[in-house]
Amino acid sequence: MKNLKNFISVTKSIPDKVCDDLLKDIKKQQWQKHKWYGGDQNYTSLEEDAFVKNALQEEQDVLMPFIQKTLFNYQKDRQFKDTNELRAPFCEKISPIRFNEYRKDQTMATHYDNIKDLFDGVYKGVPQISIVGVLNDEYKGGKFLIRDEEIKLKKGDILLFPSCFLYPHTVTKVTTENPRYSFVCWAF
């Protein structure tokens, strides 16, 4: 596994009905502008940033079994075959889920997931694997790019990739009135 692309995985993991039921609930809830962490507890938003909301416990309970299974398989498929030292799972914890809503002309600027503030409180660790799920596909634009290459995602897909600086990623602007809904969390 010497190619960086070998550590990017997309799996159809969530049934459409589960996505549809979640969307009905989260669309009615309170959203806020995404904020970028700038160090020293400094946060800023950009005009074109998406809206975000933390998942409620019942939403976590619905999604987590799908995420856990996908994460376990990802790790199992990428473990070293020639040594007993590193075996799946090397990440055993998953951060709380956050939903993203990308309205028309909204995007997520290119970044990598070197998230420090998420792990300053209750959770201790370093994000190892970024987990992104897509809940709908009735929109245009909103492409997910890693290293400037599109990763095709459909409703119910879960994308996993390393959280480090080698995987800068972005979501392009949504170009329709129908928003793009996704979720994100991190394994550590």
Side-chain angles (χ1 to χ4, degrees):
M1 291 214 188
K2 295 180 181 179
N3 187 331
L4 290 176
K5 290 181 183 178
N6 291 336
F7 296 94
I8 300 170
S9 173
V10 177
T11 306
K12 171 68 175 176
S13 300
I14 308 167
D16 286 353
K17 181 167 179 8
V18 172
C19 293
D20 294 342
D21 291 346
L22 276 169
L23 279 175
K24 284 179 194 171
D25 289 338
I26 67 172
K27 284 180 178 181
K28 301 176 205 170
Q29 296 173 20
Q30 186 86 20
W31 294 80
Q32 60 187 1
K33 267 302 211 184
H34 173 267
K35 293 186 184 210
W36 296 97
Y37 178 67
D40 296 330
Q41 301 302 317
N42 203 359
Y43 295 88
T44 57
S45 287
L46 303 173
E47 176 76 26
E48 64 273 10
D49 281 344
F51 285 87
V52 298
K53 71 168 245 41
N54 294 326
L56 302 173
Q57 186 59 54
E58 54 268 24
E59 296 159 349
Q60 300 264 2
D61 294 343
V62 167
L63 285 173
M64 209 47 84
F66 301 109
I67 295 169
Q68 289 169 331
K69 180 179 179 183
T70 306
L71 175 63
F72 178 80
N73 290 333
Y74 174 88
Q75 293 178 96
K76 187 177 77 161
D77 292 344
R78 284 155 185 83
Q79 70 186 1
F80 288 101
K81 307 287 188 231
D82 57 349
T83 180
N84 288 327
E85 291 181 30
L86 279 177
R87 294 281 180 212
F90 44 88
C91 291
E92 296 178 345
K93 296 181 182 176
I94 301 171
S95 72
I97 298 166
R98 185 190 77 201
F99 292 108
N100 294 343
E101 179 187 53
Y102 297 85
R103 299 173 187 169
K104 187 173 183 188
D105 294 328
Q106 289 183 328
T107 184
M108 186 68 66
T110 302
H111 65 284
Y112 51 87
D113 292 336
N114 185 18
I115 303 162
K116 295 178 181 134
D117 63 329
L118 181 66
F119 298 95
D120 285 345
V122 174
Y123 299 98
K124 300 294 181 197
V126 175
Q128 298 290 316
I129 300 171
S130 297
I131 302 166
V132 177
V134 177
L135 299 174
N136 70 324
D137 50 17
E138 305 87 24
Y139 58 87
K140 299 272 190 230
K143 295 176 183 177
F144 196 97
L145 307 177
I146 296 178
R147 300 178 62 86
D148 294 326
E149 187 171 319
E150 182 181 359
I151 307 299
K152 298 214 183 266
L153 298 171
K154 296 179 184 164
K155 178 182 184 175
D157 283 348
I158 293 181
L159 162 67
L160 296 102
F161 59 95
S163 300
C164 71
F165 71 95
L166 295 171
Y167 295 87
H169 53 281
T170 189
V171 175
T172 65
K173 284 186 181 183
V174 169
T175 60
T176 58
E177 295 300 326
N178 289 337
R180 175 191 191 272
Y181 290 95
S182 60
F183 66 84
V184 63
C185 55
W186 296 271
F188 59 103

